[in-house]
Amino acid sequence: MSAGKGDIGLIGLAVMGQNLILNMADHGFTVVAFNRSIEKVHAFLANEAKGKSIIGAESIQDLVNKLKTPRRIMLLVKAGDAVDNFINQLVPLLDKGDIVIDGGNSEYQDSERRTKDLAAKGIRFVGTGVSGGEEGARYGPSLMPGGNKEAWPFIKDIFQGIAAKADGQPCCEWVGNDGAGHFVKMVHNGIEYGDMQLIGEIYHIMSSIGISQEEMADTFEEWNKGELDSFLIEITRDILRFKDSDGQYLLPKIRDTAGQKGTGKWTAIAALNYGVPVTLIGEAVFSRCLSALKNERVNASKKLSGPSTKFTGCKKQFLGDLQQALYAAKIVSYAQGFMLLREAAKVHNWNLDYGSIALMWRGGCIIRSVFLGQIKMAFDKDPTLTSLLLDPFFLKAITNAQAGWRNVVATAVTLGVPTPALGTALAFYDGYRSERLPANLLQAQRDYFGAHTYELLGKEGTFVHTNWTGKGGNISASTYDA
């Protein structure tokens, strides 16, 4: 090691950057901090970082000079051009073997490109997912590093030192080559979209059948003691209980529109690109898009009619059905997410450890839950598991939840309450368990209008064309998968 003082440098002093630096310092690492605005560096050193093993840098060159070799420099800046701009400034100042880490929400294709480009220059690049928000960054995030594996031995102690712990194990392990780390983080965020949408739909149904907000909070508190124990259920309880300065509940005052930063959309696009039916996350993204059409919805609500049906069942029993519906749909969401991970791993030759990924999500991150421990156990028992739905634990769980789940979706339809995520999860489940689907008709239709050919049962791999009208010819179009 060289005479430099810093164990790691960090560029970007927004909320996540500052809290990660403080976390690193708490764990005995000396951090060199830099920000494009030098005033922000000075303010940080004078306040939050005062008295800690944190050194300020006045320039990129100063940052590089103050680091031990091989230098480890982490970027926590806006994804996209900003990352490339800082990398371009750093590269001429670095030596072969130095390490650049991107900890932002970058697209995994960018991390693939950067890993290859920097390797050609002798620089080891790491693209890492960081989850847990402000609190996670400060006290223990979930970290999902991927990229150039040669870098891992040099950053492992720092990353696993600052990561959240679950069952005594750090929620951080090497994910895979090139863009694997950011791909896993992308799927994590997609599942987060799905979980939030499912909880929102449950809340909407509760409101529609006359459950008071206090009762809702009590229900979520009870659910958080069992199989649904999770960070998102916990904060939903807290949000439902929160009252404004006027003594009224705050939640009903909040505008019913939701934004997005792109990672859920990226997951849905990746699912389409890889041909994996990640329907629930897709619906969660589209539901946010629909919520954004607030003015149109207000106008439509005055013109478009719905059912006049009122709920007449036993509310206590129905709350039990809602719990089962949420649990079953959550199982489907994670099953779809891991299907996408498996397909991407196959395409990119990533050797993903699915049990390890589930452990990384057990603590520190937004989707942390008891549920993930069962996923880890499922993949530990069978690393080749094609779907979580086929694991004995989840198979039994979804079987037991099925009646309540179906009743919730059917009831929501009769009441006119939209349940895109709960409904698509059930549709996926029914499709996945069906030995026969109507795709034979799709094949016939495509051959009828476009001579795309079809396969006959028992003769898989052999494509034939039929002259359906007697007017067409015997020439077929080239086959393709659709």
Side-chain angles (χ1 to χ4, degrees):
M1 303 292 278
S2 71
K5 294 181 180 179
D7 296 305
I8 186 169
L10 194 143
I11 298 174
L13 294 182
V15 172
M16 290 293 285
Q18 289 194 21
N19 281 291
L20 267 183
I21 290 172
L22 294 170
N23 187 352
M24 290 173 181
D26 285 349
H27 285 85
F29 301 104
T30 298
V31 190
V32 182
F34 176 75
N35 195 79
R36 189 173 54 180
S37 167
I38 303 304
E39 291 75 15
K40 201 161 191 176
V41 177
H42 296 160
F44 180 53
L45 292 173
N47 295 284
E48 296 88 351
K50 190 173 183 179
K52 297 184 180 291
S53 57
I54 300 168
I55 305 167
E58 299 290 319
S59 66
I60 296 286
Q61 181 71 70
D62 190 30
L63 171 77
V64 170
N65 292 343
K66 288 178 176 175
L67 291 171
K68 300 172 185 175
T69 57
R71 300 176 184 89
R72 295 166 286 195
I73 300 172
M74 187 169 186
L75 303 172
L76 271 171
V77 298
K78 188 176 180 181
D81 291 342
V83 176
D84 287 323
N85 289 339
F86 273 112
I87 289 174
N88 291 337
Q89 292 178 62
L90 282 166
V91 167
L93 308 176
L94 299 179
D95 296 324
K96 286 187 176 181
D98 286 347
I99 298 160
V100 175
I101 307 160
D102 173 20
N105 262 336
S106 292
E107 293 192 63
Y108 75 95
Q109 297 98 326
D110 284 342
S111 291
E112 283 185 303
R113 169 179 58 80
R114 289 166 184 151
T115 302
K116 292 180 173 66
D117 288 351
L118 289 179
K121 298 171 183 175
I123 307 298
R124 295 177 280 204
F125 177 81
V126 174
T128 185
V130 180
S131 180
E134 180 180 353
E135 183 179 348
R138 181 66 184 87
Y139 300 108
S142 170
L143 297 168
M144 296 151 257
N148 188 330
K149 195 171 184 180
E150 292 178 6
W152 181 231
F154 299 98
I155 64 172
K156 182 177 180 179
D157 288 349
I158 297 176
F159 272 40
Q160 293 192 338
I162 67 171
K165 306 298 185 292
D167 299 327
Q169 296 296 311
C171 295
C172 170
E173 190 52 76
W174 185 257
V175 174
N177 295 335
D178 302 327
H182 274 128
F183 191 91
V184 168
K185 175 57 162 56
M186 178 194 74
V187 173
H188 163 282
N189 283 25
I191 291 172
E192 178 186 307
Y193 272 58
D195 273 2
M196 293 170 72
Q197 177 63 28
L198 288 170
I199 293 170
E201 290 175 18
I202 296 294
Y203 159 70
H204 195 175
I205 295 170
M206 286 179 170
S207 300
S208 299
I209 65 171
I211 304 293
S212 72
Q213 196 160 319
E214 184 179 353
E215 288 177 290
M216 290 185 210
D218 290 342
T219 300
F220 276 92
E221 180 167 21
E222 191 61 34
W223 288 356
N224 202 46
K225 297 174 183 176
E227 59 197 12
L228 287 171
D229 177 4
S230 67
F231 174 70
L232 286 171
I233 293 291
E234 180 183 324
I235 68 168
T236 300
R237 173 205 65 195
D238 294 344
I239 291 167
L240 286 163
R241 286 221 168 106
F242 192 88
K243 291 184 178 179
D244 205 352
S245 55
D246 61 3
Q248 301 299 309
Y249 286 114
L250 176 60
L251 185 57
K253 301 178 182 181
I254 298 175
R255 183 176 167 87
D256 56 317
T257 58
Q260 55 175 311
K261 289 190 174 180
T263 45
K265 179 179 71 176
W266 296 347
T267 310
I269 292 170
L272 290 169
N273 287 338
Y274 292 108
V276 181
V278 186
T279 55
L280 198 151
I281 293 171
E283 286 293 348
V285 175
F286 285 130
S287 293
R288 293 195 185 191
C289 296
L290 181 59
S291 78
L293 304 178
K294 175 66 174 178
N295 293 337
E296 291 184 44
R297 288 189 290 112
V298 170
N299 182 50
S301 70
K302 299 169 184 174
K303 299 178 181 179
L304 300 179
S305 63
S308 57
T309 310
K310 302 294 182 184
F311 181 80
T312 56
C314 172
K315 290 182 181 178
K316 184 176 180 180
Q317 181 178 332
F318 192 66
L319 285 175
D321 289 347
L322 286 171
Q323 180 181 10
Q324 294 302 314
L326 180 55
Y327 189 48
K330 187 180 174 81
I331 292 172
V332 168
S333 179
Y334 283 72
Q336 290 182 353
F338 277 92
M339 286 170 68
L340 178 56
L341 289 175
R342 184 173 293 282
E343 183 60 27
K346 192 188 304 179
V347 171
H348 294 276
N349 294 315
W350 294 333
N351 185 26
L352 299 185
D353 184 332
Y354 304 105
S356 176
I357 290 169
L359 176 63
M360 281 186 253
W361 294 347
R362 273 291 306 277
C365 67
I366 304 304
I367 64 171
R368 60 185 182 265
S369 66
V370 169
F371 181 90
L372 284 155
Q374 295 296 340
I375 295 179
K376 183 180 188 308
M377 289 171 61
F379 284 113
D380 284 350
K381 283 185 295 182
D382 181 7
T384 65
L385 187 66
T386 55
S387 172
L388 283 174
L389 299 178
L390 303 179
D391 171 74
F393 175 86
F394 291 109
L395 179 62
K396 181 180 179 181
I398 209 162
T399 300
N400 292 340
Q402 193 173 153
W405 186 16
R406 292 185 185 280
N407 185 43
V408 165
V409 174
T411 301
V413 170
T414 61
L415 295 175
V417 179
T419 53
L422 288 167
T424 198
L426 182 57
F428 172 86
Y429 174 78
D430 283 337
Y432 192 72
R433 68 176 185 82
S434 295
E435 181 180 353
R436 191 167 175 83
L437 290 170
N440 56 327
L441 178 57
L442 298 181
Q443 284 208 67
Q445 289 170 330
R446 291 177 65 247
D447 189 54
Y448 187 109
F449 65 68
H452 292 298
T453 75
Y454 55 86
E455 291 176 282
L456 287 170
L457 285 170
K459 295 183 179 179
E460 286 77 6
T462 301
F463 292 84
V464 297
H465 166 60
T466 290
N467 184 352
W468 297 90
T469 64
K471 298 176 183 177
N474 294 317
I475 299 174
S476 64
S478 59
T479 60
Y480 65 92
D481 293 329

